[in-house]
Amino acid sequence: MKVLLFISIATVATVYGKVPDYFPKCKKNDPLIEQCLTDGIENMKPKLKTGIPELNIPALDPFVVPTLKLDRTASNLRLKAVIKNAKAYGGSNFRIEKVKVNLNNKYLAEIKLQIPKLIVTADYDVLGSRILTAEINGKGVMKGNITGVSVVAKGRAKPIVKDGVEYLQAEKIVTKIKIKNAQISLTDSERPAAALSAATFFNASPGVILDIINPLIEDTVAAVLKPFINKVLGTIPLNEIFIDVAPSS
Ligand SMILES: *[C@@H]1O[C@H](CO)[C@@H](O)[C@H](O)[C@H]1NC(C)=O
C-alpha cells in the first residue's frame, strides 16, 4: 500500500512537478511579466551553463551542434559546407537587454541579448565555395574568437495538447545578429597554405565577410534554435511557463 502510494505520488510528480524551484514562475497577468522573465532567466544562468537534463535543456557552455549543413548562394557568396562537432564557449555570459512578450490570445516573444565573447571550434568541410573573389575549398579545424555579439530572437508559438496537457510549440523563430569582431584560424593538414590564406583573407576585414554571410548566420541560428526550444517547451506544461491566475474580481 505504501509502495503504491509512493508510486502514484511519484507519477503525479513527474507529470505536474517537473519544473524545479529555480525555474522562473511568472504570472501571465503580471504587468511586470517582462521584468519577471528577465530576472528569472538571469537567475537560471548557472543552471543553463551546465544544462538541465530534466527539462531537456542542454548545456549552454559549451553549446554543441553535432552537424550543420550549409548551402547558400547569394551575391558575393557561394557556400557549400558541412560543419561537424561545433562548440561555442562563452554563451552563458549573456546579458539580457530586453524581453518582450505579447500573450493576448497569442504567444509572441522577443529577447535581445549581448554576448561579450564566444570562442568557437568546429570541423569544417568546404566544397567549391567562394566569398567575394576568394575561392574556398578544404577540410580541417576552424577556431574563432567572436566578440561583441548582439542577438535579437523573435518567436511565435502556439499551444498544443499532449496527453491532455497543454504545451507551447514555436511556429516561427527569426533572429537578427550583429557581430562586432571575429578572428579565425583554419588548420587543414592537406592544404595548409590555402587554409592560411583563407584565414588571412577573413581576418583582414572580418566586417566585410560577416556582412556577406550574416543572413546565413541568422538563418542557421534560427534553424538550430527552433528544435532546441521546442524540445524544452515540449517538456514544460504551458501553465508552468506562464502561471495562469484567475482574476480575483
Ligand atoms: C583567440 O584568443 C586566444 C586568447 O586570447 C588566442 O590565444 C588565440 O590565438 C585567438 N584565436 C584566434 C583565431 O585569433
Side-chain angles (χ1 to χ4, degrees), residues 81-95:
V82 179
I83 311 288
K84 287 207 171 125
N85 200 21
K87 293 196 185 100
Y89 297 83
S92 64
N93 295 323
F94 67 84
R95 194 182 68 243

Side-chain angles (χ1 to χ4, degrees), residues 73-80 126-136:
T73 304
S75 81
N76 292 329
L77 177 70
R78 187 180 67 224
L79 188 64
K80 225 173 145 63
V126 181
L127 257 176
S129 296
R130 182 178 51 75
I131 296 180
L132 289 169
T133 55
E135 299 291 333
I136 303 167

